[in-house]
Amino acid sequence: MTRPWLGELFRALLSVGAGGAVGMVLGRPLEGLLAGLALYTLRHVYHLAALYRWFRQRRKSPLPAAHGVWGEVFHHIDRLQQRNKKRKKKLTQYLKRFQQSTEAMPDATVVLDESGAIEWFNSAAGRLLGLAHPHDVGQRIGNLVRHPDFLSYVREGSEEEAVEFDSPQDAETRLSLRIINYGKNKRLLIARDVTLLHRLETIRRDFVANVSHELKTPLTVITGYVEAMMDAEGEYPHHWQRSLGTMQQQAARMARLLEDLLLLSRLETTDIAEADHETVYVPAMVASMEEDARLVCGERLTIVVEADPTLRIRGSGEELRSAFSNLVQNAVRYTADAGTVTVRWFADEAGAHFQVADTGIGIPPQHLSRLTERFYRVDKGRSADLGGTGLGLAIVKHVLNRHEASLTIDSEPGVGSTFTCSFPPERVERTAAGEAGTPSLYIASSQ
Ligand SMILES: Nc1ncnc2c1ncn2[C@@H]1O[C@H](COP(=O)(O)OP(=O)(O)OP(=O)(O)O)[C@@H](O)[C@H]1O
Ligand SMILES: [Mg+2]
């Protein structure tokens, strides 16, 4: 038994013993004993009342002095309280520092709970997103920021990607917004002002589009003169014919480049119009691409086509043709003689897929992530020799983005490459035959 408890036992025995002794002197020992016990109990009640009072006063005054077990209890409570005070002070300091730093941040920061309700936000969030203290705290962010791109991002956006839209406060301000999950079902929304970057990007896009457009007319004039000179064979020295031929070839390449640049800038600057949501007869498109490919490669390659004839898609026929034909052209271009190019058009539960597989030179893995950048070519010399400009896959990526589709590239150097464009099931359309039963397969193969 510890010292305070021994002391307490001594105090109890003393109270009861003293009561009993006084009782005996007065000839009433039992009453004496009971009086001693009552006195001892009264002391405990007194200290309990003191503790209760102290709690009621919200622990502002110091605890009263006490001896024995009560002294020990009061001492421990006091120590606990001091420790809590210190911890609270530290936490308040941390919180203050965090709030001061997020306040100073130029980016809007909003803490959301699992239902998307606002728990806290900094002043930049007020400025950029139009949130106001204190009545917006507890409101759902989707009720306050109503931009459709933002709403669909909040619903299904991924953590890696950011969404861009105009600030609800000022249409001139462009925001880039991300939501990051943290802690237990908490979400942090961060919005950055990217107006300057956006403006620069617009200037760059306009510049490329304008230059491409301006170059078209002079190029047409040059091509026209070169053709006229080639036609007038007798009038120029014979050795000029070769130079004129090269000039014509290069002019044609430049015209292709300008066409691609103009198409890219059109894809970047315009929204996919309602009119572009037409039914695209991909099987017919595949058949005509197969014909074109055969004209280019002749007997050089085996071309296999497997297309589900009942499978169609909603989108822009013109854009999809240019994306698909680039993939087929690439396969033909980067496959050595006696190779095979397989074009497939099929559907599964994930949606519809346009796939081009070849047994060509393949692509080393370090290049795969950069292939869809403009002018990116694995082997610049080889690609240029084959007439490539490096804009094809950039166009493919943009077209697919506009159709909520994705591009997967699978490749092994020396073995071959497979490019797959996957469209979501919402875009898939079937003819009656497809709806009724299993689709028949259109298979063509030739050498
Ligand atoms: N099927 C393929 N096999 C091997 N390499 C490929 C294949 N497809 C594309 N590549 C590589 O990716 C690069 C980019 O392709 P992309 O279609 O963008 O450009 P390009 O074919 O060179 O030119 P463009 O399509 O503008 O005429 C190519 O230069 C080539 O190095
Ligand atoms: Mg290409």
Side-chain angles (χ1 to χ4, degrees):
M1 210 181 271
T2 52
R3 261 194 78 191
W5 284 108
L6 279 174
E8 201 54 40
L9 191 67
F10 174 70
R11 222 169 257 124
L13 288 174
L14 193 71
S15 300
V16 179
V22 173
M24 272 206 323
V25 170
L26 295 175
R28 296 200 157 187
L30 195 66
E31 282 85 344
L33 274 177
L34 280 175
L37 201 63
L39 266 177
Y40 178 72
T41 313
L42 219 61
R43 181 175 163 270
H44 283 302
V45 172
Y46 168 77
H47 282 116
L48 261 178
L51 188 61
Y52 178 72
R53 232 185 357 262
W54 181 76
F55 273 121
R56 285 287 302 265
Q57 287 169 354
R58 296 177 183 265
R59 291 159 274 176
K60 274 181 197 143
S61 54
L63 271 161
H67 298 286
V69 170
W70 281 107
E72 199 70 9
V73 169
F74 285 3
H75 170 69
H76 282 299
I77 290 178
D78 193 45
R79 265 191 39 196
L80 255 178
Q81 199 197 5
Q82 294 306 329
R83 213 180 297 156
N84 273 346
K85 259 189 195 160
K86 262 192 211 155
R87 204 175 293 160
K88 200 167 151 192
K89 203 167 155 192
K90 222 182 207 172
L91 277 177
T92 318
Q93 275 173 351
Y94 281 144
L95 197 67
K96 221 171 174 179
R97 226 177 293 159
F98 167 75
Q99 285 185 341
Q100 276 169 350
S101 54
T102 42
E103 258 328 296
M105 256 177 19
D107 298 346
T109 314
V110 185
V111 176
L112 303 173
D113 68 11
E114 65 270 30
S115 67
I118 299 172
E119 287 193 349
W120 179 86
F121 58 87
N122 65 353
S123 52
R127 206 175 54 248
L128 297 175
L129 298 170
L131 305 183
H133 265 299
H135 54 264
D136 283 347
V137 173
Q139 301 264 19
R140 280 176 179 236
I141 187 84
N143 294 340
L144 301 170
V145 182
R146 306 278 321 152
H147 195 286
D149 290 351
F150 172 74
L151 292 177
S152 64
Y153 176 75
V154 170
R155 235 178 292 122
E156 65 222 38
S158 81
E159 267 196 45
E160 283 98 57
E161 281 172 36
V163 63
E164 272 197 23
F165 60 94
D166 294 337
S167 161
Q169 286 302 87
D170 170 16
E172 299 280 295
T173 305
R174 188 83 178 160
L175 298 180
S176 166
L177 185 141
R178 274 185 70 179
I179 292 183
I180 301 147
N181 294 326
Y182 77 101
K184 217 177 172 193
N185 295 331
K186 290 258 187 269
R187 289 192 289 174
L188 191 67
L189 179 153
I190 297 172
R192 286 175 58 206
D193 181 348
V194 289
T195 313
L196 208 62
L197 262 176
H198 186 68
R199 213 170 286 156
L200 277 175
E201 181 66 11
T202 314
I203 293 171
R204 179 194 63 77
R205 247 185 286 168
D206 290 351
F207 176 76
V208 173
N210 290 339
V211 168
S212 312
H213 194 73
E214 292 299 324
L215 283 175
K216 262 179 98 174
T217 318
L219 190 63
T220 315
V221 174
I222 292 171
T223 315
Y225 276 118
V226 170
E227 270 169 19
M229 286 166 85
M230 283 179 89
D231 288 345
E233 247 179 79
E235 288 181 36
Y236 299 98
H238 185 67
H239 64 270
W240 274 39
Q241 285 301 320
R242 247 190 82 199
S243 314
L244 285 172
T246 314
M247 277 165 82
Q248 195 186 31
Q249 244 178 29
Q250 293 301 321
R253 195 167 154 213
M254 204 162 157
R256 248 196 341 266
L257 181 65
L258 292 182
E259 285 301 327
D260 282 357
L261 281 172
L262 279 169
L263 174 61
L264 253 179
S265 73
R266 193 171 61 76
L267 290 175
E268 277 181 334
T269 46
T270 57
D271 262 350
I272 185 153
E274 274 304 305
D276 282 340
H277 287 273
E278 60 197 0
T279 298
V280 184
Y281 297 86
V282 182
M285 201 182 259
V286 170
S288 95
M289 281 188 305
E290 178 202 354
E291 239 170 71
D292 294 346
R294 273 211 191 104
L295 278 179
V296 175
C297 69
E299 302 285 294
R300 200 170 70 80
L301 303 171
T302 305
I303 295 177
V304 181
V305 175
E306 295 175 15
D308 178 343
T310 64
L311 188 60
R312 300 154 180 199
I313 199 153
R314 244 178 343 93
S316 156
E318 194 195 328
E319 290 179 15
L320 290 173
R321 165 176 281 279
S322 107
F324 292 167
S325 66
N326 175 68
L327 294 179
V328 177
Q329 275 166 22
N330 279 356
V332 169
R333 195 181 275 167
Y334 303 107
T335 302
D337 292 356
T340 305
V341 172
T342 310
V343 182
R344 295 180 70 214
W345 172 240
F346 62 98
D348 57 21
E349 58 286 351
H353 310 277
F354 179 85
Q355 190 176 65
V356 183
D358 63 52
T359 56
I361 56 173
I363 303 152
Q366 69 270 25
H367 295 285
L368 289 181
S369 60
R370 300 196 56 193
L371 277 192
T372 53
E373 288 173 20
R374 283 145 216 253
F375 298 111
Y376 193 85
R377 285 165 289 183
V378 174
D379 181 341
K380 274 199 176 6
R382 185 175 201 159
S383 176
D385 288 347
L386 295 168
T389 54
L391 288 175
L393 287 177
I395 293 174
V396 172
K397 190 182 117 188
H398 271 91
V399 169
L400 294 187
N401 273 350
R402 285 156 72 89
H403 289 80
E404 296 106 38
S406 62
L407 176 70
T408 343
I409 309 171
D410 232 342
S411 188
E412 204 179 316
V415 178
S417 317
T418 305
F419 288 74
T420 312
C421 310
S422 302
F423 297 84
E426 304 85 74
R427 284 200 171 262
V428 174
E429 280 181 10
R430 290 267 190 197
T431 53
E435 280 154 13
T438 45
S440 55
L441 219 59
Y442 162 69
I443 301 184
S445 164
S446 87
Q447 194 154 22

PDB file of all heavy atoms in Angstrom, residues 382-409:
ATOM      1  N   ARG A 382      14.880   8.839 -89.929  1.00  0.00           N
ATOM      2  CA  ARG A 382      14.106   7.769 -90.574  1.00  0.00           C
ATOM      3  C   ARG A 382      12.689   8.230 -90.890  1.00  0.00           C
ATOM      4  O   ARG A 382      12.173   8.032 -91.982  1.00  0.00           O
ATOM      5  CB  ARG A 382      14.054   6.589 -89.621  1.00  0.00           C
ATOM      6  CG  ARG A 382      13.410   5.380 -90.185  1.00  0.00           C
ATOM      7  CD  ARG A 382      13.537   4.292 -89.180  1.00  0.00           C
ATOM      8  NE  ARG A 382      13.394   2.988 -89.777  1.00  0.00           N
ATOM      9  CZ  ARG A 382      13.848   1.904 -89.222  1.00  0.00           C
ATOM     10  NH1 ARG A 382      14.513   1.966 -88.103  1.00  0.00           N
ATOM     11  NH2 ARG A 382      13.655   0.736 -89.783  1.00  0.00           N
ATOM     12  N   SER A 383      12.077   8.913 -89.889  1.00  0.00           N
ATOM     13  CA  SER A 383      10.702   9.357 -90.062  1.00  0.00           C
ATOM     14  C   SER A 383      10.603  10.381 -91.194  1.00  0.00           C
ATOM     15  O   SER A 383       9.697  10.331 -92.019  1.00  0.00           O
ATOM     16  CB  SER A 383      10.198   9.946 -88.750  1.00  0.00           C
ATOM     17  OG  SER A 383       8.934  10.465 -88.911  1.00  0.00           O
ATOM     18  N   ALA A 384      11.588  11.341 -91.221  1.00  0.00           N
ATOM     19  CA  ALA A 384      11.561  12.366 -92.263  1.00  0.00           C
ATOM     20  C   ALA A 384      11.755  11.726 -93.636  1.00  0.00           C
ATOM     21  O   ALA A 384      11.101  12.101 -94.607  1.00  0.00           O
ATOM     22  CB  ALA A 384      12.643  13.405 -91.998  1.00  0.00           C
ATOM     23  N   ASP A 385      12.654  10.712 -93.712  1.00  0.00           N
ATOM     24  CA  ASP A 385      12.875  10.019 -94.984  1.00  0.00           C
ATOM     25  C   ASP A 385      11.588   9.385 -95.489  1.00  0.00           C
ATOM     26  O   ASP A 385      11.325   9.306 -96.679  1.00  0.00           O
ATOM     27  CB  ASP A 385      13.926   8.895 -94.814  1.00  0.00           C
ATOM     28  CG  ASP A 385      15.316   9.480 -94.642  1.00  0.00           C
ATOM     29  OD1 ASP A 385      15.470  10.682 -94.910  1.00  0.00           O
ATOM     30  OD2 ASP A 385      16.229   8.728 -94.220  1.00  0.00           O
ATOM     31  N   LEU A 386      10.789   8.907 -94.533  1.00  0.00           N
ATOM     32  CA  LEU A 386       9.543   8.236 -94.910  1.00  0.00           C
ATOM     33  C   LEU A 386       8.404   9.241 -95.093  1.00  0.00           C
ATOM     34  O   LEU A 386       7.258   8.859 -95.307  1.00  0.00           O
ATOM     35  CB  LEU A 386       9.165   7.211 -93.830  1.00  0.00           C
ATOM     36  CG  LEU A 386      10.136   6.032 -93.674  1.00  0.00           C
ATOM     37  CD1 LEU A 386       9.845   5.254 -92.414  1.00  0.00           C
ATOM     38  CD2 LEU A 386      10.034   5.106 -94.886  1.00  0.00           C
ATOM     39  N   GLY A 387       8.731  10.530 -94.963  1.00  0.00           N
ATOM     40  CA  GLY A 387       7.729  11.573 -95.210  1.00  0.00           C
ATOM     41  C   GLY A 387       6.950  11.980 -93.971  1.00  0.00           C
ATOM     42  O   GLY A 387       5.951  12.676 -94.074  1.00  0.00           O
ATOM     43  N   GLY A 388       7.387  11.560 -92.783  1.00  0.00           N
ATOM     44  CA  GLY A 388       6.645  11.879 -91.556  1.00  0.00           C
ATOM     45  C   GLY A 388       7.046  13.225 -90.986  1.00  0.00           C
ATOM     46  O   GLY A 388       8.195  13.626 -91.078  1.00  0.00           O
ATOM     47  N   THR A 389       6.072  13.934 -90.396  1.00  0.00           N
ATOM     48  CA  THR A 389       6.370  15.234 -89.787  1.00  0.00           C
ATOM     49  C   THR A 389       6.269  15.172 -88.257  1.00  0.00           C
ATOM     50  O   THR A 389       6.673  16.098 -87.570  1.00  0.00           O
ATOM     51  CB  THR A 389       5.382  16.295 -90.290  1.00  0.00           C
ATOM     52  OG1 THR A 389       4.066  15.813 -90.039  1.00  0.00           O
ATOM     53  CG2 THR A 389       5.564  16.571 -91.752  1.00  0.00           C
ATOM     54  N   GLY A 390       5.680  14.113 -87.736  1.00  0.00           N
ATOM     55  CA  GLY A 390       5.560  13.976 -86.280  1.00  0.00           C
ATOM     56  C   GLY A 390       4.329  14.655 -85.712  1.00  0.00           C
ATOM     57  O   GLY A 390       4.225  14.864 -84.506  1.00  0.00           O
ATOM     58  N   LEU A 391       3.352  14.984 -86.558  1.00  0.00           N
ATOM     59  CA  LEU A 391       2.131  15.632 -86.045  1.00  0.00           C
ATOM     60  C   LEU A 391       0.960  14.641 -85.960  1.00  0.00           C
ATOM     61  O   LEU A 391      -0.039  14.909 -85.309  1.00  0.00           O
ATOM     62  CB  LEU A 391       1.732  16.797 -86.943  1.00  0.00           C
ATOM     63  CG  LEU A 391       2.622  18.037 -86.852  1.00  0.00           C
ATOM     64  CD1 LEU A 391       2.203  19.073 -87.872  1.00  0.00           C
ATOM     65  CD2 LEU A 391       2.530  18.640 -85.458  1.00  0.00           C
ATOM     66  N   GLY A 392       1.128  13.488 -86.627  1.00  0.00           N
ATOM     67  CA  GLY A 392       0.027  12.518 -86.726  1.00  0.00           C
ATOM     68  C   GLY A 392      -0.548  12.097 -85.385  1.00  0.00           C
ATOM     69  O   GLY A 392      -1.757  12.202 -85.158  1.00  0.00           O
ATOM     70  N   LEU A 393       0.312  11.657 -84.474  1.00  0.00           N
ATOM     71  CA  LEU A 393      -0.208  11.147 -83.191  1.00  0.00           C
ATOM     72  C   LEU A 393      -0.738  12.276 -82.305  1.00  0.00           C
ATOM     73  O   LEU A 393      -1.621  12.048 -81.478  1.00  0.00           O
ATOM     74  CB  LEU A 393       0.861  10.335 -82.463  1.00  0.00           C
ATOM     75  CG  LEU A 393       1.150   8.955 -83.073  1.00  0.00           C
ATOM     76  CD1 LEU A 393       2.267   8.250 -82.337  1.00  0.00           C
ATOM     77  CD2 LEU A 393      -0.101   8.086 -83.068  1.00  0.00           C
ATOM     78  N   ALA A 394      -0.207  13.508 -82.484  1.00  0.00           N
ATOM     79  CA  ALA A 394      -0.754  14.650 -81.736  1.00  0.00           C
ATOM     80  C   ALA A 394      -2.195  14.866 -82.184  1.00  0.00           C
ATOM     81  O   ALA A 394      -3.085  15.118 -81.348  1.00  0.00           O
ATOM     82  CB  ALA A 394       0.082  15.894 -81.988  1.00  0.00           C
ATOM     83  N   ILE A 395      -2.436  14.732 -83.484  1.00  0.00           N
ATOM     84  CA  ILE A 395      -3.810  14.870 -84.007  1.00  0.00           C
ATOM     85  C   ILE A 395      -4.683  13.740 -83.451  1.00  0.00           C
ATOM     86  O   ILE A 395      -5.796  13.970 -82.977  1.00  0.00           O
ATOM     87  CB  ILE A 395      -3.807  14.856 -85.558  1.00  0.00           C
ATOM     88  CG1 ILE A 395      -3.116  16.126 -86.063  1.00  0.00           C
ATOM     89  CG2 ILE A 395      -5.219  14.734 -86.115  1.00  0.00           C
ATOM     90  CD1 ILE A 395      -2.897  16.196 -87.556  1.00  0.00           C
ATOM     91  N   VAL A 396      -4.136  12.504 -83.449  1.00  0.00           N
ATOM     92  CA  VAL A 396      -4.901  11.357 -82.926  1.00  0.00           C
ATOM     93  C   VAL A 396      -5.333  11.650 -81.483  1.00  0.00           C
ATOM     94  O   VAL A 396      -6.501  11.476 -81.118  1.00  0.00           O
ATOM     95  CB  VAL A 396      -4.053  10.064 -82.966  1.00  0.00           C
ATOM     96  CG1 VAL A 396      -4.761   8.920 -82.261  1.00  0.00           C
ATOM     97  CG2 VAL A 396      -3.746   9.675 -84.404  1.00  0.00           C
ATOM     98  N   LYS A 397      -4.383  12.122 -80.678  1.00  0.00           N
ATOM     99  CA  LYS A 397      -4.684  12.366 -79.260  1.00  0.00           C
ATOM    100  C   LYS A 397      -5.802  13.411 -79.098  1.00  0.00           C
ATOM    101  O   LYS A 397      -6.741  13.219 -78.328  1.00  0.00           O
ATOM    102  CB  LYS A 397      -3.424  12.850 -78.544  1.00  0.00           C
ATOM    103  CG  LYS A 397      -3.587  12.892 -77.038  1.00  0.00           C
ATOM    104  CD  LYS A 397      -2.367  13.408 -76.374  1.00  0.00           C
ATOM    105  CE  LYS A 397      -2.696  14.691 -75.654  1.00  0.00           C
ATOM    106  NZ  LYS A 397      -1.547  15.370 -75.130  1.00  0.00           N
ATOM    107  N   HIS A 398      -5.711  14.488 -79.859  1.00  0.00           N
ATOM    108  CA  HIS A 398      -6.732  15.533 -79.758  1.00  0.00           C
ATOM    109  C   HIS A 398      -8.097  15.035 -80.204  1.00  0.00           C
ATOM    110  O   HIS A 398      -9.099  15.313 -79.558  1.00  0.00           O
ATOM    111  CB  HIS A 398      -6.322  16.743 -80.599  1.00  0.00           C
ATOM    112  CG  HIS A 398      -5.504  17.699 -79.825  1.00  0.00           C
ATOM    113  ND1 HIS A 398      -4.142  17.640 -79.778  1.00  0.00           N
ATOM    114  CD2 HIS A 398      -5.861  18.721 -79.020  1.00  0.00           C
ATOM    115  CE1 HIS A 398      -3.694  18.589 -78.999  1.00  0.00           C
ATOM    116  NE2 HIS A 398      -4.703  19.261 -78.521  1.00  0.00           N
ATOM    117  N   VAL A 399      -8.105  14.306 -81.309  1.00  0.00           N
ATOM    118  CA  VAL A 399      -9.392  13.795 -81.809  1.00  0.00           C
ATOM    119  C   VAL A 399     -10.009  12.870 -80.767  1.00  0.00           C
ATOM    120  O   VAL A 399     -11.198  12.970 -80.452  1.00  0.00           O
ATOM    121  CB  VAL A 399      -9.200  13.057 -83.157  1.00  0.00           C
ATOM    122  CG1 VAL A 399     -10.444  12.294 -83.545  1.00  0.00           C
ATOM    123  CG2 VAL A 399      -8.805  14.049 -84.242  1.00  0.00           C
ATOM    124  N   LEU A 400      -9.188  11.981 -80.192  1.00  0.00           N
ATOM    125  CA  LEU A 400      -9.724  11.035 -79.207  1.00  0.00           C
ATOM    126  C   LEU A 400     -10.217  11.770 -77.970  1.00  0.00           C
ATOM    127  O   LEU A 400     -11.267  11.447 -77.424  1.00  0.00           O
ATOM    128  CB  LEU A 400      -8.678   9.981 -78.838  1.00  0.00           C
ATOM    129  CG  LEU A 400      -8.285   9.030 -79.979  1.00  0.00           C
ATOM    130  CD1 LEU A 400      -7.387   7.923 -79.464  1.00  0.00           C
ATOM    131  CD2 LEU A 400      -9.505   8.420 -80.648  1.00  0.00           C
ATOM    132  N   ASN A 401      -9.476  12.796 -77.528  1.00  0.00           N
ATOM    133  CA  ASN A 401      -9.921  13.589 -76.370  1.00  0.00           C
ATOM    134  C   ASN A 401     -11.301  14.171 -76.608  1.00  0.00           C
ATOM    135  O   ASN A 401     -12.134  14.202 -75.704  1.00  0.00           O
ATOM    136  CB  ASN A 401      -8.964  14.765 -76.133  1.00  0.00           C
ATOM    137  CG  ASN A 401      -7.820  14.349 -75.257  1.00  0.00           C
ATOM    138  OD1 ASN A 401      -7.841  13.260 -74.690  1.00  0.00           O
ATOM    139  ND2 ASN A 401      -6.813  15.194 -75.154  1.00  0.00           N
ATOM    140  N   ARG A 402     -11.511  14.644 -77.832  1.00  0.00           N
ATOM    141  CA  ARG A 402     -12.803  15.249 -78.163  1.00  0.00           C
ATOM    142  C   ARG A 402     -13.918  14.213 -78.212  1.00  0.00           C
ATOM    143  O   ARG A 402     -15.092  14.556 -78.258  1.00  0.00           O
ATOM    144  CB  ARG A 402     -12.715  15.975 -79.505  1.00  0.00           C
ATOM    145  CG  ARG A 402     -11.964  17.275 -79.421  1.00  0.00           C
ATOM    146  CD  ARG A 402     -11.395  17.652 -80.748  1.00  0.00           C
ATOM    147  NE  ARG A 402     -12.372  18.088 -81.709  1.00  0.00           N
ATOM    148  CZ  ARG A 402     -12.774  19.358 -81.853  1.00  0.00           C
ATOM    149  NH1 ARG A 402     -12.290  20.285 -81.056  1.00  0.00           N
ATOM    150  NH2 ARG A 402     -13.656  19.695 -82.762  1.00  0.00           N
ATOM    151  N   HIS A 403     -13.552  12.930 -78.251  1.00  0.00           N
ATOM    152  CA  HIS A 403     -14.565  11.858 -78.285  1.00  0.00           C
ATOM    153  C   HIS A 403     -14.561  11.055 -76.986  1.00  0.00           C
ATOM    154  O   HIS A 403     -15.039   9.917 -76.960  1.00  0.00           O
ATOM    155  CB  HIS A 403     -14.298  10.913 -79.469  1.00  0.00           C
ATOM    156  CG  HIS A 403     -14.593  11.555 -80.792  1.00  0.00           C
ATOM    157  ND1 HIS A 403     -13.735  12.416 -81.412  1.00  0.00           N
ATOM    158  CD2 HIS A 403     -15.686  11.472 -81.593  1.00  0.00           C
ATOM    159  CE1 HIS A 403     -14.273  12.830 -82.560  1.00  0.00           C
ATOM    160  NE2 HIS A 403     -15.449  12.273 -82.689  1.00  0.00           N
ATOM    161  N   GLU A 404     -14.018  11.631 -75.932  1.00  0.00           N
ATOM    162  CA  GLU A 404     -13.888  10.956 -74.612  1.00  0.00           C
ATOM    163  C   GLU A 404     -13.254   9.577 -74.759  1.00  0.00           C
ATOM    164  O   GLU A 404     -13.599   8.636 -74.033  1.00  0.00           O
ATOM    165  CB  GLU A 404     -15.250  10.781 -73.918  1.00  0.00           C
ATOM    166  CG  GLU A 404     -15.954  12.051 -73.549  1.00  0.00           C
ATOM    167  CD  GLU A 404     -17.116  12.319 -74.463  1.00  0.00           C
ATOM    168  OE1 GLU A 404     -17.797  11.367 -74.841  1.00  0.00           O
ATOM    169  OE2 GLU A 404     -17.316  13.487 -74.825  1.00  0.00           O
ATOM    170  N   ALA A 405     -12.381   9.447 -75.735  1.00  0.00           N
ATOM    171  CA  ALA A 405     -11.737   8.149 -75.977  1.00  0.00           C
ATOM    172  C   ALA A 405     -10.281   8.206 -75.530  1.00  0.00           C
ATOM    173  O   ALA A 405      -9.743   9.280 -75.275  1.00  0.00           O
ATOM    174  CB  ALA A 405     -11.819   7.827 -77.457  1.00  0.00           C
ATOM    175  N   SER A 406      -9.660   7.029 -75.417  1.00  0.00           N
ATOM    176  CA  SER A 406      -8.265   7.008 -74.971  1.00  0.00           C
ATOM    177  C   SER A 406      -7.411   6.210 -75.954  1.00  0.00           C
ATOM    178  O   SER A 406      -7.926   5.377 -76.704  1.00  0.00           O
ATOM    179  CB  SER A 406      -8.189   6.377 -73.582  1.00  0.00           C
ATOM    180  OG  SER A 406      -8.651   5.054 -73.666  1.00  0.00           O
ATOM    181  N   LEU A 407      -6.113   6.506 -75.928  1.00  0.00           N
ATOM    182  CA  LEU A 407      -5.184   5.806 -76.815  1.00  0.00           C
ATOM    183  C   LEU A 407      -4.231   4.973 -75.965  1.00  0.00           C
ATOM    184  O   LEU A 407      -3.626   5.489 -75.016  1.00  0.00           O
ATOM    185  CB  LEU A 407      -4.384   6.832 -77.628  1.00  0.00           C
ATOM    186  CG  LEU A 407      -3.301   6.262 -78.543  1.00  0.00           C
ATOM    187  CD1 LEU A 407      -3.925   5.514 -79.715  1.00  0.00           C
ATOM    188  CD2 LEU A 407      -2.397   7.374 -79.076  1.00  0.00           C
ATOM    189  N   THR A 408      -4.123   3.682 -76.270  1.00  0.00           N
ATOM    190  CA  THR A 408      -3.154   2.836 -75.572  1.00  0.00           C
ATOM    191  C   THR A 408      -2.127   2.369 -76.591  1.00  0.00           C
ATOM    192  O   THR A 408      -2.494   1.943 -77.686  1.00  0.00           O
ATOM    193  CB  THR A 408      -3.817   1.581 -74.967  1.00  0.00           C
ATOM    194  OG1 THR A 408      -5.210   1.764 -74.917  1.00  0.00           O
ATOM    195  CG2 THR A 408      -3.304   1.254 -73.606  1.00  0.00           C
ATOM    196  N   ILE A 409      -0.866   2.460 -76.195  1.00  0.00           N
ATOM    197  CA  ILE A 409       0.192   2.027 -77.116  1.00  0.00           C
ATOM    198  C   ILE A 409       0.970   0.897 -76.454  1.00  0.00           C
ATOM    199  O   ILE A 409       1.408   1.019 -75.311  1.00  0.00           O
ATOM    200  CB  ILE A 409       1.163   3.188 -77.439  1.00  0.00           C
ATOM    201  CG1 ILE A 409       0.388   4.433 -77.887  1.00  0.00           C
ATOM    202  CG2 ILE A 409       2.155   2.760 -78.513  1.00  0.00           C
ATOM    203  CD1 ILE A 409       1.234   5.682 -78.025  1.00  0.00           C
TER     204      ILE A 409
END
